[in-house]
Amino acid sequence: GVKRFVTMSNGDFVEPLNLFKQELEKLAKLQRKLARQKKGSRNSRKTKRKIARLHRYIVDSRRDFLHKTSTKIAKNHSIVYVEDLKVSNMSASAGGTKESPGKNVRQKSGLNRSILDQGWYSFFQMLSYKLERGGGKLIKVDPRNTSRTCPRCGFVSAENRKSQATFACIGCGYRSNADEVGAINILRAGRVRLACGTSGAVRPLSAGTQRDLLQH
Ligand SMILES: [Zn+2]
């Protein structure tokens, strides 16, 4: 599972909203209960209301969490580089990916799906407009190799990534938290991209081309 919601290149991180697990279990229990109850009965209507209330509570809590987290980051930074999730497909869930869905995906679609994902899309949107409000920018970076490149010696290998949490370079022995290594590499890749997109071109780029360069 996700142990960190956000990790910064300086090692700071934000834990995911913890109430989720507990509340999601409660929600799953209510949904099982509803499945057992007779359709249209008084009891099933009561359970449905409980489910709707809990669902609203979870959605509101997450929205609040995303707002607080994005406000805090936007307050202390002007340009923020993030992993382009379109490329890394971090939304893979329920034991499968979009291309090859796991067997639980169907069951978990609909009501649950909206709360199972960590809300990256909304988070990036919030962060982006808050940064732009202050004259800054959110820049999405292609995350290729960013989880397996050693930030100290530059050695690239899948074996550098020992587990979800641990990075240990088989070249130089550098060890660190894997998310932190990813964040450092995203920052570096983003800076290179920004430099190339603004000054590396032979002729001035159109706004559209620049945007494409930044977002790919
Ligand atoms: Zn190394």
Side-chain angles (χ1 to χ4, degrees):
V2 182
K3 294 206 181 75
R4 294 176 165 196
F5 178 70
V6 168
T7 301
M8 319 273 271
S9 58
N10 67 359
D12 287 351
F13 66 93
V14 179
E15 281 177 34
L17 193 58
N18 281 327
L19 72 88
F20 272 0
K21 197 166 175 270
Q22 201 184 335
E23 307 300 319
L24 286 174
E25 274 165 18
K26 215 189 276 178
L27 187 64
K29 213 167 145 188
L30 280 170
Q31 281 169 333
R32 282 197 299 274
K33 189 176 170 186
L34 181 67
R36 283 194 307 267
Q37 287 169 332
K38 199 176 159 216
K39 260 191 190 151
S41 68
R42 212 183 129 148
N43 281 338
S44 91
R45 284 203 303 274
K46 207 167 128 190
T47 308
K48 269 188 183 165
R49 276 199 301 276
K50 277 188 186 168
I51 288 173
R53 205 180 309 135
L54 184 57
H55 183 244
R56 206 159 48 236
Y57 172 74
I58 293 172
V59 168
D60 288 350
S61 305
R62 184 178 64 184
R63 193 172 167 72
D64 183 59
F65 166 76
L66 297 179
H67 266 302
K68 279 183 182 148
T69 306
S70 56
T71 297
K72 200 170 139 195
I73 294 173
K75 212 187 274 176
N76 300 314
H77 301 83
S78 54
I79 294 184
V80 175
Y81 302 90
V82 295
E83 186 170 330
D84 190 343
L85 299 178
K86 271 204 302 277
V87 182
S88 65
N89 193 16
M90 260 187 80
S91 60
S93 68
T97 61
K98 232 187 320 194
E99 287 73 31
S100 116
K103 59 179 188 305
N104 293 324
V105 169
R106 183 159 278 281
Q107 282 156 260
K108 290 187 175 175
S109 64
L111 182 69
N112 278 4
R113 194 177 53 195
S114 64
I115 48 183
L116 270 173
D117 87 82
Q118 288 279 321
W120 305 105
Y121 183 74
S122 314
F123 178 70
F124 286 169
Q125 271 191 322
M126 288 174 182
L127 187 54
S128 178
Y129 79 68
K130 286 173 189 178
L131 286 167
E132 280 175 24
R133 212 166 43 192
K137 196 167 175 51
L138 181 79
I139 296 173
K140 292 176 181 171
V141 179
D142 181 346
R144 221 174 314 160
N145 286 335
T146 50
S147 67
R148 9 184 233 181
T149 302
C150 175
R152 190 160 77 184
C153 74
F155 188 70
V156 183
S157 168
E159 289 171 55
N160 286 346
R161 181 75 182 258
K162 299 298 179 210
S163 68
Q164 182 71 25
T166 310
F167 182 95
C169 178
I170 59 170
C172 74
Y174 173 82
R175 282 180 80 87
S176 188
N177 175 276
D179 289 333
E180 197 178 319
V181 166
I184 292 168
N185 287 328
I186 290 282
L187 175 67
R188 287 181 183 172
R191 281 180 173 160
V192 167
R193 187 161 290 271
L194 188 64
C196 292
T198 53
S199 63
V202 179
R203 56 192 164 77
L205 297 166
S206 69
T209 313
Q210 275 204 24
R211 202 174 49 236
D212 286 342
L213 275 173
L214 295 176
Q215 288 185 340
H216 267 192

